[in-house]
Amino acid sequence: MKLAFSTLGVPGLPVPDVLALASEHGYHGVELRAHPEEPVHPGLSPAERADVAALFRGSGIEPLCVAGYARVAAPGDDAAVLGELRGLLRLAHDLGAPFVRVFPGGEGPREEADAIAARRLGTAAEDASALGVRILLETHDSHRTGADAIRVLGPVGHRQVGALWDVMHTWLGGEQPAQTYAALAPQLGYVQVKDIASVEDTTPLPLGAGVLQLTECVEVLSRGGWDGWLCWEYEKRWYEQAAPLPGLLAAGRDHLVRLLGEAA
């Protein structure tokens, strides 16, 4: 498995500095938080996109994903959500990133939210296919477990639409790693790892310092023969009191490598 980290852990850090951290600490890729307050977002000009893509190529670090904020199950007009999603797909294509992350964001009756998300993802799948980018629905908010996500992904049934497994949200949803993997394995794009102290305190911690089932997750993935990406999503942007991520990256990589070795 390859290792990455999210720029959510280093808010506002310029791309060259992000790539230097990845190179220095042995990470193979970077998940790019695509928000206007970040250096990389859909508002970049063609020249700016080309510059970012060139920085990645020159560093040997891969742009794993454009992590957007489109909420595909949210009520309202399809056109606005699809427009946002298509902008993320074009950005990912221009940067050479294989994935775009979207959230569910459903409200109201479950069946209605499922149908809205499936309809929008099915429509956007053709754009994704044309651009060579895969849309990943994260286990999050209204659809935080693998069982929730597959209710949407099953009806879509398109190879360019899959799942992003956030291990914190499936744990908060009461789902065991083996259950999540069984639900998502055919659709799984990559896995976001992290650690927290408890249900009540989700402040990010160094990997291995909290309660999340990282050992079990890695074991399940290894037993399944899955060889994709593990991406450390350290939510520094939302928790200013959390320790700075750069000083944790080396130990975090070592922890994941140790788990992978033990699972093998």
Side-chain angles (χ1 to χ4, degrees), residues 72-73 104 106-121 142-143 147-153 155-156:
V72 295
E107 300 175 16
R110 185 178 82 173
E111 294 79 8
E112 182 178 339
D114 291 350
I116 291 171
R119 181 177 70 242
R120 290 169 177 167
L121 289 171
S142 62
H143 292 67
D148 293 331
I150 205 66
R151 293 199 315 268
V152 172
L153 299 176
V156 174

Side-chain angles (χ1 to χ4, degrees), residues 123-145:
T123 300
E126 297 307 314
D127 298 274
S129 184
L131 292 168
V133 178
R134 195 171 184 212
I135 305 167
L136 301 182
L137 178 67
E138 184 172 326
T139 55
H140 196 274
D141 55 77
S142 62
H143 292 67
R144 71 184 345 169
T145 66

Side-chain angles (χ1 to χ4, degrees), residues 5-7 9-11 13-30 59 61 244-250 253:
F5 65 86
S6 170
T7 56
V10 283
L13 193 67
V15 173
D17 296 337
V18 171
L19 296 175
L21 284 174
S23 297
E24 178 184 353
H25 297 296
Y27 288 80
H28 309 97
V30 171
S59 71
I61 303 298
L245 178 62
L248 307 176
L249 283 171
R253 178 193 177 279

Side-chain angles (χ1 to χ4, degrees), residues 45 62 75 79 81 96 99 113 117 125 130 139 141 216 240:
S45 69
E62 298 182 49
V81 177
F99 301 122
T139 55
D141 55 77
E216 292 87 343
E240 293 184 6

Side-chain angles (χ1 to χ4, degrees), residues 126-212:
E126 297 307 314
D127 298 274
S129 184
L131 292 168
V133 178
R134 195 171 184 212
I135 305 167
L136 301 182
L137 178 67
E138 184 172 326
T139 55
H140 196 274
D141 55 77
S142 62
H143 292 67
R144 71 184 345 169
T145 66
D148 293 331
I150 205 66
R151 293 199 315 268
V152 172
L153 299 176
V156 174
H158 197 290
R159 59 185 174 81
Q160 292 304 115
V161 178
L164 199 175
W165 177 6
D166 181 321
V167 302
M168 181 182 75
H169 284 281
T170 54
W171 180 79
L172 290 172
E175 194 172 65
Q176 293 300 309
Q179 295 173 308
T180 305
Y181 184 71
L184 298 182
Q187 317 262 15
L188 188 58
Y190 68 96
V191 179
Q192 284 180 343
V193 296
K194 59 186 68 172
D195 223 339
I196 58 172
S198 66
V199 172
E200 295 78 21
D201 184 3
T202 56
T203 304
L205 295 175
L207 295 179
V211 298
L212 294 185

